[in-house]
Amino acid sequence: GAVVSQHPSRVICKSGTSVKIECRSLDFQATTMFWYRQFPKQSLMLMATSNEGSKATYEQGVEKDKFLINHASLTLSTLTVTSAHPEDSSFYICSAKVQDNQPQHFGDGTRLSIL
Amino acid sequence: AQSVTQLDSHVSVSEGTPVLLRCNYSSSYSPSLFWYVQHPNKGLQLLLKYTSAATLVKGINGFEAEFKKSETSFHLTKPSAHMSDAAEYFCVVSRGNTGGFKTIFGAGTRLFVKA
């Protein structure tokens, strides 16, 4: 149980392209979903927290116009990297959880490479 | 303030020998504690969790961790390392307070297993 599916697993695209990443909880309803960015050999950096039907809460320093988050249902959240540039290349990971004191369940991540 | 410290950035063991990955935390409130494992280019997989029940927590793949409040520690152990255990391990603290629920990731410990 508690499977989170993240798609696509890998994206390679040209600078200026917008890229959408999907995160789905397959067998549970997630009250909260999280989006992380991970640089090589580093820990996860929380970008934003999203709750179904409300606006995402972005961490300090994360541009909300650059990283658009939509959480349309209890099982789906999307992250759109708008007009991506090479510095946006990274490993993006989503997670979801049912309630506050329970563990987060992670997707397999998306490797984004902007040329 | 809440924090989590993984005392070793990397640990190297021989196959068949015990594994010890150290984690200390600080929290003003009773925290929930988790250990996750991350294999290359993958998301995080939950190994085990502590949520104020038994202080010795058994997880998957033979791992276990002991919550020691007096030492503010939650070290991860395994009696005998396998080659497949080579990965990055993250200690995570999660707790609620008047400001909402916060999850803090440790910096990670890379485990190397030698044949």
Side-chain angles (χ1 to χ4, degrees):
Chain A
V3 176
V4 174
S5 173
Q6 189 173 339
H7 177 80
S9 59
R10 189 174 188 92
V11 179
I12 301 173
C13 58
K14 293 181 180 179
S15 185
T17 307
S18 291
V19 178
K20 180 185 282 188
I21 303 170
E22 288 190 352
C23 181
R24 293 180 185 271
S25 56
L26 296 186
D27 52 359
F28 67 101
Q29 292 188 324
T31 55
T32 310
M33 287 185 166
F34 304 87
W35 287 95
Y36 294 88
R37 184 171 180 177
Q38 187 179 31
F39 293 99
K41 301 186 189 302
Q42 294 189 26
S43 188
L44 279 67
M45 180 190 79
L46 179 65
M47 298 174 67
T49 303
S50 76
N51 293 289
E52 182 264 341
S54 61
K55 289 185 178 180
T57 302
Y58 289 81
E59 296 298 303
Q60 193 171 10
V62 178
E63 300 174 60
K64 57 183 68 175
D65 295 331
K66 174 72 167 178
F67 299 99
L68 299 178
I69 292 172
N70 182 275
H71 194 158
S73 76
L74 283 171
T75 60
L76 173 64
S77 177
T78 60
L79 167 68
T80 301
V81 183
T82 61
S83 186
H85 291 284
E87 59 266 27
D88 299 323
S89 299
S90 193
F91 193 55
Y92 293 87
I93 306 176
C94 75
S95 72
K97 65 176 178 179
V98 176
Q99 59 188 62
D100 278 342
N101 66 344
Q102 293 301 308
Q104 296 179 33
H105 303 282
F106 288 82
D108 273 348
T110 297
R111 173 73 59 193
L112 176 62
S113 300
I114 308 299
L115 305 177
Chain B
Q2 176 174 259
S3 68
V4 57
T5 303
Q6 290 184 242
L7 296 160
D8 305 293
S9 61
H10 61 273
V11 169
S12 183
V13 301
S14 296
E15 191 174 24
T17 64
V19 175
L20 169 64
L21 304 183
R22 299 182 294 165
C23 174
N24 284 97
Y25 71 92
S26 67
S27 177
S28 302
Y29 300 82
S30 296
S32 295
L33 296 159
F34 311 90
W35 274 99
Y36 287 87
V37 61
Q38 184 182 31
H39 288 92
N41 294 308
K42 290 289 188 181
L44 276 66
Q45 179 185 17
L46 180 68
L47 283 177
L48 47 82
K49 63 179 180 180
Y50 166 78
T51 53
S52 75
T55 57
L56 181 62
V57 182
K58 293 189 183 298
I60 63 171
N61 302 336
F63 284 95
E64 61 182 39
E66 186 172 7
F67 173 70
K68 292 186 176 180
K69 188 174 181 179
S70 60
E71 298 177 9
T72 61
S73 69
F74 190 58
H75 301 335
L76 181 71
T77 61
K78 182 173 180 177
S80 175
H82 292 175
M83 295 297 289
S84 60
D85 294 327
E88 188 86 19
Y89 291 80
F90 293 98
C91 180
V92 179
V93 175
S94 185
R95 69 167 181 93
N97 59 17
T98 53
F101 226 86
K102 284 289 188 184
T103 298
I104 306 294
F105 285 77
T109 299
R110 180 160 295 277
L111 176 64
F112 297 94
V113 182
K114 299 174 288 186

